[in-house]
Structure formats: C-alpha cells, structure tokens
Amino acid sequence: MTNETLILAVESSCDETSVSVIENGNQIRSNIVLSQIESHKRFGGVVPEVASRHHVEGITTTIDNALQEAHVTMDDIDAIAVTQGPGLIGALLVGINAAKALAYAYNKPLIPVHHIAGHIYANNLEQGMSFPLIALIVSGGHTELIYMKDHLSFEIIGETRDDAVGEAYDKVARTLGLNYPGGPHIDRLANTGNDTYDFPRVWLEKDSFDFSFSGLKSAVINALHNQRQKNETIIDADVATSFQNSVVEVLVGKAVQACETYNVNELIVAGGVASNSGLRKELSKVCRSHNIHLAIPSAKLCTDNGAMIGAAAHYLYLNNVRADMTLNGNSGLDLEHFVDEV
Ligand code: KG4
Ligand code: ZN
C-alpha cells in the first residue's frame, strides 16, 4: 500500500472524449484522448449532436483504456473527477453520467471540475505553479486573463467582449478555405508570410484587460472580399502573418500589463491557442525582458484532455469539494464561484 492519491478524470465538454488517471495532482499515469476532429471537419466546425453521439460511443472504452494504461483497477482509484462545464451541454452530460455511474457503482467521491480551471492546472503536470500568478486563457471558446493569488482562487480581470481568439482563428481560416480547426493552419502559414496588411490592434479603453477580436476578424474578411472583387492575387501566408501579428501583439501586451499591474512574476498560458508558435515566441521574448517566469504546457496538454481535469481535481479533492448524484452539466459554469457553489 502506498499513500498516493489516484484520481480518474473524465473530460467531454467539446470534441475530445478523454479519460486520465492522475497521481497526486501532478503525475500522469495515463491520458487517453479520443479526438473527433476528423468527423467534424466535413461540417467546418463542431456539430453538438454529432459530438454527443461520438462521446457516447467512445466513453466506456476510453475509461477502460485509461485504467489499463495506468495499470490500476477501479478499486485503486480514490475519486472520480469530471468536467461540469462550460461546454456543449449534450457533450458534458455524457461524461457526467459516466462519472456518476462509476462513483455510484464503486462508492467513490465525485468531484466536479471547471473546464478552464483544468486548462490552468495543466501546468501543474509539467512545471508546477507558483502564486500569485496571472493566467492567460486562449481557446476556441474563451479568451480570459485570470488573477490567482492561491490555489482555487480565480479572479477574472479581463475577457473577450465578442469572439474568442480561437474562434477568430477558425473563422479567418475558413475564409481562406482552410480545414477546421483552422488555428494550426494559420499558425503554419504565418511562419512563411509577410505582414503586409496593417490590420487593427484593438486595445479598448486604457487599462482595460478585456479583448475584442470581431473587428479584426471583419477587417480580414473585408480585405479578402475587396481583393477578390478586384481579381487581385491573395497571398494566404501574408494574410495569416498579418492576422497573427495583430492577435499576438494584443494578447502579449495585455498579459504582460496584467502581470505588472497585479505585481506578479509568473504568467501561465493555457488553452488550444497556447500551442501557437508565434504567441509562444513573442511571449518568451517579452517575458524574459520583463523578468516574468513564463509557463506554457506542451502542445498535447494545451488542447482538451482528461489529465488537466485530474490535476485541478486533486486540489478540489484536498479541499473536500464533492458533488452528489444530482450533479448536472452547466454550459455557462462560472469560474470565480464554482468552488463555493458545489
Ligand atoms: O482549448 P481547445 O482545444 O478547445 C476549447 O476548449 O475551445 O482549443 C481549440 C482552439 C481551436 O479554435 C483551434 O483552432 C485553436 O485552439 N488552435 C490554435 C492552434 N492550435 C489549436 N490556434 C492558433 N494556433 C495554433 N497552433
Ligand atoms: Zn478547452
């Protein structure tokens, strides 16, 4: 017998069915990710009903595979964690019902986890977290700056007023005829083009940590539309470089400003767009010159996965946060208060 705490964590908020076994909140014993991207590609985005169906098809085998790869059985597991929200409600419910069934059948504690808390805690699986810190969340559904003075304390100091940054990437990619999800394609192209377009940088009011990307997205779409009407040749790589430079400049500028205003020297970046090469490069440069320690999970932990949910769940487990069998999905779950409201 050892003293380790093993959490089985389930994530099904969007288009990845993922189950992981996490030891002591920072060691990945297994992390199985069943991606639906191939299936959603033909629709140019995630179709909620199709996503739910794939989760139903994949959840049981994914749980079995996660246990097998971790060389454990359900008897070894101390608690079951699951993403409660935010996300697609039908997709969330598949993971929640599977987690509830396991918790009930094996008489284990059930821990509800906020998806964004999971993205932040992905950092604990690789290099740890040192408080106070600022977290920059950049995903397909979220763009947020969060101040954390300690574990499980989340203060949202800025958020997008319209599109999430990943959403803007996907829409611009679609206008260029690139496959879903478009972010990685734009990222690749951006490394080969020139910044020829002079797209806007939207800073909003002085000292605001909010973001707005819909104006930039419209500027790109309008520019392409005008060029097509005039039969001008469009160099996709130049569009990608100009768009990405605008996004990166604002994200980096606001994140560093937030670190200075809140007097913290640790910046954590999380979510699917955190794997963007332009963002990573600029952040490392600027953070070095401002003496800010930069923590970004490796690419496989930036996109949705069960391991990050297990990492966050460990601290909820230590704080006696538990759900009962009435646990329901919440597509608009509030990050600042979810711990108190359980
Ligand atoms: O965090 P995530 O896997 O799912 C959500 O919770 O939303 O993020 C997915 C988003 C998509 O919009 C995708 O295009 C974007 O992350 N993304 C990227 C890159 N890799 C994924 N965006 C820009 N550059 C990338 N390298
Ligand atoms: Zn996510």
Side-chain angles (χ1 to χ4, degrees):
M1 260 319 256
T2 55
N3 288 327
E4 83 234 345
T5 301
L6 290 178
I7 294 185
L8 179 94
V10 179
E11 153 65 36
S12 70
S13 65
C14 190
D15 58 351
E16 263 99 23
T17 316
S18 182
V19 182
S20 172
V21 175
I22 294 296
E23 181 179 329
N24 296 336
N26 57 13
Q27 285 170 63
I28 303 178
R29 294 279 295 261
S30 65
N31 186 28
I32 311 290
V33 183
L34 197 64
S35 173
Q36 308 175 357
I37 283 180
E38 281 309 314
S39 174
H40 295 292
K41 252 184 194 165
R42 65 203 140 119
F43 304 112
V46 178
V47 182
E49 278 314 309
V50 175
S52 309
R53 215 170 318 136
H54 284 307
H55 286 305
V56 171
E57 284 161 7
I59 190 79
T60 320
T61 3
T62 311
I63 292 169
D64 287 345
N65 291 346
L67 289 168
Q68 236 175 57
E69 198 173 299
H71 302 292
V72 293
T73 67
M74 275 309 294
D75 292 333
D76 303 311
I77 297 293
D78 294 288
I80 320 281
V82 64
T83 307
Q84 185 190 359
L88 304 169
I89 191 65
L92 287 165
L93 284 173
V94 178
I96 290 172
N97 283 321
K100 272 161 68 165
L102 285 176
Y104 184 71
Y106 292 93
N107 196 22
K108 306 278 181 190
L110 179 64
I111 305 172
V113 182
H114 192 289
H115 182 77
I116 298 300
H119 273 302
I120 295 174
Y121 274 84
N123 282 282
N124 219 36
L125 298 165
E126 290 180 332
Q127 41 186 320
M129 293 156 74
S130 96
F131 298 98
L133 60 81
I134 293 285
L136 170 68
I137 309 299
V138 278
S139 76
H142 295 265
T143 309
E144 276 151 21
L145 275 166
I146 296 159
Y147 171 66
M148 289 182 75
K149 64 174 184 309
D150 207 344
H151 278 297
L152 303 180
S153 152
F154 306 98
E155 184 188 337
I156 298 175
I157 59 168
E159 60 197 334
T160 181
R161 297 189 184 167
D162 38 61
D163 293 353
V165 64
E167 204 180 336
Y169 262 96
D170 294 339
K171 283 182 185 158
V172 166
R174 200 172 172 162
T175 316
L176 289 174
L178 302 165
N179 269 343
Y180 174 84
H185 298 297
I186 300 266
D187 189 9
R188 188 175 30 79
L189 279 174
N191 287 321
T192 64
N194 297 304
D195 190 341
T196 55
Y197 279 87
D198 198 24
F199 288 137
R201 271 73 173 148
V202 180
W203 296 102
L204 301 170
E205 309 81 45
K206 190 176 171 295
D207 298 333
S208 169
F209 292 119
D210 281 352
F211 299 95
S212 167
F213 293 106
S214 72
L216 169 62
K217 180 193 68 188
S218 306
V220 177
I221 294 171
N222 288 342
L224 293 177
H225 186 70
N226 286 340
Q227 279 190 281
R228 279 176 189 141
Q229 275 197 331
K230 290 187 208 151
N231 267 332
E232 288 176 10
T233 312
I234 294 169
I235 302 170
D236 289 359
D238 289 354
V239 179
T241 307
S242 308
F243 166 75
Q244 183 152 303
N245 282 357
S246 168
V247 170
V248 167
E249 194 178 317
V250 175
L251 288 176
V252 175
K254 294 212 179 219
V256 170
Q257 179 71 47
C259 290
E260 293 190 333
T261 305
Y262 284 79
N263 205 13
V264 309
N265 47 24
E266 167 123 337
L267 174 66
I268 274 180
V269 189
V273 186
S275 51
N276 183 271
S277 64
L279 179 62
R280 292 174 94 104
K281 204 160 127 202
E282 189 62 16
L283 275 172
S284 23
K285 196 177 88 193
V286 177
C287 285
R288 206 175 310 123
S289 68
H290 285 76
N291 273 328
I292 298 168
H293 177 250
L294 174 67
I296 314 182
S298 53
K300 66 176 192 309
L301 291 178
C302 283
T303 43
D304 293 348
N305 64 84
M308 67 186 201
I309 300 303
H314 184 76
Y315 291 90
L316 294 163
Y317 178 74
L318 296 180
N319 278 275
N320 285 314
V321 175
R322 307 282 186 267
D324 61 23
M325 286 299 132
T326 62
L327 179 69
N328 208 346
N330 181 348
S331 56
L333 190 66
D334 174 4
L335 177 65
E336 289 181 334
H337 302 110
F338 88 98
V339 178
D340 315 323
E341 281 167 11
V342 176

